[in-house]
Amino acid sequence: MLVVSEEVREALAAHRPVVALESTIIAHGLPRPRNLQVALELEDVVRQEGAVPATIAVLDGHPRVGLDKEQLERVANEDGIRKLGHRDLPLAVAAGASGATTVSATALLAALAGVRVFATGGLGGVHREWTVTQDESADLGLLARTRITVVCAGVKSILDVPATLQRLETLGVAVAGYGTARFPGFYLSDSGYPVDWTLRSPRQVADVMRAQDALDGPESALIVAHPVPEDEQLDPELHARVLADALHACEAEGVTGQAVTPFLLDYLVRHTEGASLSANLAAVRGNVRLAGRIAAAWAGA
């Protein structure tokens, strides 16, 4: 049922580095035709680091790990591409549906295929007003039971960052800053909160991954929190002002549930004149490059 591309399958068999990439950013995160351009660019960044890209999606009911150009074009351009979390996978498979995979679905399918390193922008987490809404991303629970290393720029800054960090601790998911003792804030280099551990090289990350396996503990993830460079981050004052306005607008318009995150992200893009999207893409590019280097260290290259 799981279709692994020939290139990815051969790389895994030869113990060569592979990096998983999600497809939601292609189908739902960027306008056409920029989405396809970015998808191809990110795959090229992985290759520049000597690794094989494995973009993940579900096409016609088949979960695919590694897409060719024609399949990437389908995800980028085809109308009706769904957004799939890991809970949606059995439904999509049974219905023969096509969909782009979120963090949770990508991490699960990557792990099933034997891919250990995954690069993304920002994770989901605990939403603001959690005590009222009980709204928490499925990413967290999935990462608590999936052995994969996720390179990200922290969690989306529209979320409750300290509550998310606390939840990750409760779930037993390891978190380390890469080259920093501060937890990144997605669009921002620093969310304002510390991390307990700092890793400073791909080799150190690979050593932690090997220690996870040697200890044979719970099958949980390792989060490598890699900040966007300060000169490419969203201006912190602009971020704070627009996010406050976005939260007020969200409440005023009665937006709730799964609609909250896309509403807030879209508001930020529109009211920062695209600067938040530029910061997002800068973070993703950096995360993908670092993931390629970690995958190479993990493979012993």
Side-chain angles (χ1 to χ4, degrees):
M1 184 177 295
L2 182 65
V3 181
V4 182
S5 73
E6 182 178 358
E7 182 184 24
V8 172
R9 187 170 62 251
E10 290 178 353
L12 291 171
H15 302 287
R16 298 200 310 272
V18 179
V19 175
L21 302 171
E22 65 167 295
S23 51
T24 296
I25 189 174
I26 306 171
H28 302 287
L30 296 167
R32 301 170 183 170
R34 192 177 185 188
N35 56 348
L36 180 59
Q37 295 167 355
V38 169
L40 295 171
E41 176 192 351
L42 296 179
E43 289 209 341
D44 187 56
V45 170
V46 173
R47 295 188 191 281
Q48 289 171 17
E49 298 303 326
V52 171
T55 303
I56 295 176
V58 178
L59 295 175
D60 304 317
H62 298 287
R64 292 184 174 273
V65 178
L67 305 181
D68 60 27
K69 186 176 180 181
E70 182 179 342
Q71 291 163 342
L72 280 173
E73 289 173 349
R74 280 192 63 187
V75 174
N77 298 321
E78 190 173 292
D79 293 331
I81 294 287
R82 300 180 69 111
K83 185 176 182 180
L84 305 177
H86 71 278
R87 71 169 189 168
D88 303 307
L89 293 175
L91 295 159
V93 168
S98 297
T101 51
T102 64
V103 167
S104 67
T106 303
L108 176 59
L109 294 174
L112 289 174
V115 179
R116 188 64 179 269
V117 181
F118 166 33
T120 187
L123 299 180
V126 177
H127 285 244
R128 295 167 188 256
E129 303 295 331
W130 182 88
T131 54
V132 176
T133 65
Q134 301 287 292
D135 193 353
E136 175 186 314
S137 170
D139 294 356
L140 304 185
L142 189 283
L143 294 176
R145 55 183 185 274
T146 305
R147 181 61 54 81
I148 195 164
T149 295
V150 184
V151 183
C152 64
V155 300
K156 295 178 177 66
S157 55
I158 61 175
L159 302 174
D160 188 327
V161 176
T164 301
L165 287 170
Q166 180 60 56
R167 185 69 176 136
L168 287 167
E169 180 181 345
T170 300
L171 291 169
V173 179
V175 178
Y178 188 86
T180 180
R182 310 292 295 176
F183 191 68
F186 190 46
Y187 300 123
L188 307 176
S189 299
D190 184 353
S191 69
Y193 298 92
V195 289
D196 293 329
W197 297 93
T198 302
L199 301 172
R200 301 191 180 278
S201 70
R203 178 63 59 186
Q204 284 188 333
V205 178
D207 287 344
V208 175
M209 295 163 64
R210 294 188 181 96
Q212 282 183 310
D213 292 349
L215 288 167
D216 197 26
E219 292 288 315
S220 57
L222 167 64
I223 294 175
V224 179
H226 180 226
V228 62
E230 286 190 16
D231 61 355
E232 295 184 284
Q233 71 174 342
L234 182 60
D235 177 75
E237 292 185 3
L238 176 63
H239 174 270
R241 183 175 71 253
V242 175
L243 178 56
D245 292 343
L247 292 168
H248 287 136
C250 188
E251 182 177 359
E253 296 185 27
V255 179
T256 60
Q258 291 184 337
V260 170
T261 294
F263 176 90
L264 294 176
L265 293 177
D266 178 68
Y267 191 100
L268 281 165
V269 170
R270 289 186 290 109
H271 290 81
T272 63
E273 298 181 345
S276 66
L277 181 57
S278 296
N280 182 5
L281 290 176
V284 173
R285 291 186 190 99
N287 295 342
V288 168
R289 190 171 301 282
L290 176 58
R293 295 172 181 173
I294 291 170
W298 169 249

